[in-house]
Amino acid sequence: EVQLVESGGGLVQPGRSLRLSCAVSGFTFDDYAMHWVRQPPGKGLEWVSGISWNSATIGYAASVKGRFTISRDSAKKTLYLQMNSLRAEDTALYYCTKGSGGYTHVDSDYWGQGTLVTVSS
Amino acid sequence: QSVLTQPPSVSGAPGQRVTISCTGSSSNIGAGYDVHWYQQLPGTAPKLLIYNNNYRPSGVPDRFSGSKSGTSSSLAITGLQAEDEADYYCQSYDSSLRVVLFGGGTKLTVL
């Protein structure tokens, strides 16, 4: 059974940093692209970042480029999102998703339950 | 405002057919990138509903179907049921922006 378990969310002050983690199981982590998708309270989905199976292709939404860094650790089967210089508008439920293939333009066939990030003073 | 445009809301009575449109441009849907659809029931994570324009993952009823033409895609739901009440999102890739795109989402109300 495929499982994606996010952690690391919480309340953080503007300008501070946070690192999200997504521990996966039930599939060969090294074979698939992974993504972070966020959803502000009461709003729609926004793609944040994606990383290909071999980390050769990485993309970011314009809203987070230069502030967020995605990475993956195959030994730990974990996806990360380092979030720096956080702003109030980064407040959202952050989902970890598994791509159905190795590249970042494919669909997300599995989603975690999300971890909530609240940026407020 | 999303690059992929969806109607904010649609509605239909039980048993009816509804469609949800997703309009893009020549750098995403029109460039040949596949469109995927997700269903998000209240209080839950999104779930893949349609992938690669018109394929259903295992377990998705055949009441749900997708299509793509030019710079647009559509999700059709036939035999509407109360349990279909949810938010629906389309997704594609933009080669100009080099980003994954989601539509703004459509709230389906079953009357």
Side-chain angles (χ1 to χ4, degrees), chain B residues 1-108:
Chain B
Q1 192 165 359
S2 303
V3 176
L4 299 182
T5 302
Q6 297 180 234
S9 63
V10 297
S11 62
Q16 284 189 332
R17 177 181 187 270
V18 297
T19 62
I20 299 172
S21 61
C22 175
T23 303
S25 68
S26 59
S27 61
N28 42 72
I29 298 175
Y33 289 99
D34 289 327
V35 179
H36 320 293
W37 290 89
Y38 301 88
Q39 177 192 58
Q40 186 175 32
L41 296 170
T44 69
K47 164 193 156 185
L48 181 64
L49 194 65
I50 297 287
Y51 67 98
N52 295 0
N53 309 312
N54 55 11
Y55 292 89
R56 284 184 308 275
S58 174
V60 173
D62 59 8
R63 301 186 296 104
F64 296 90
S65 63
S67 63
K68 174 186 161 184
S69 179
T71 58
S72 295
S73 175
S74 288
L75 172 70
I77 309 171
T78 59
L80 208 55
Q81 299 180 4
E83 66 204 51
D84 298 332
E85 194 160 281
D87 293 322
Y88 293 84
Y89 296 90
C90 62
Q91 180 214 322
S92 189
Y93 179 81
D94 193 287
S95 58
S96 177
L97 300 172
R98 296 187 182 182
V99 297
V100 171
L101 298 171
F102 281 99
T106 299
K107 182 174 182 61
L108 169 63

Side-chain angles (χ1 to χ4, degrees), chain A residues 30-119:
Chain A
D30 292 350
D31 288 349
Y32 295 95
M34 299 292 296
H35 298 267
W36 289 99
V37 176
R38 69 185 181 184
Q39 186 169 35
K43 297 190 176 181
L45 302 175
E46 179 189 15
W47 177 79
V48 175
S49 181
I51 183 168
S52 62
W53 66 280
N54 58 359
S55 302
T57 301
I58 288 176
Y60 298 96
S63 58
V64 307
K65 201 167 189 176
R67 300 187 299 123
F68 289 12
T69 302
I70 192 171
S71 62
R72 59 192 299 161
D73 185 328
S74 59
K76 295 183 177 180
K77 295 184 181 179
T78 301
L79 176 73
Y80 300 102
L81 185 68
Q82 177 66 44
M83 304 186 295
N84 299 331
S85 304
L86 282 161
R87 305 167 181 167
E89 53 265 36
D90 296 318
T91 294
L93 185 61
Y94 284 72
Y95 292 105
C96 165
T97 83
K98 169 189 169 292
S100 65
Y103 297 96
T104 53
H105 63 277
V106 299
D107 57 291
S108 287
D109 55 0
Y110 289 91
W111 295 61
Q113 288 306 302
T115 186
L116 182 63
V117 173
T118 303
V119 183

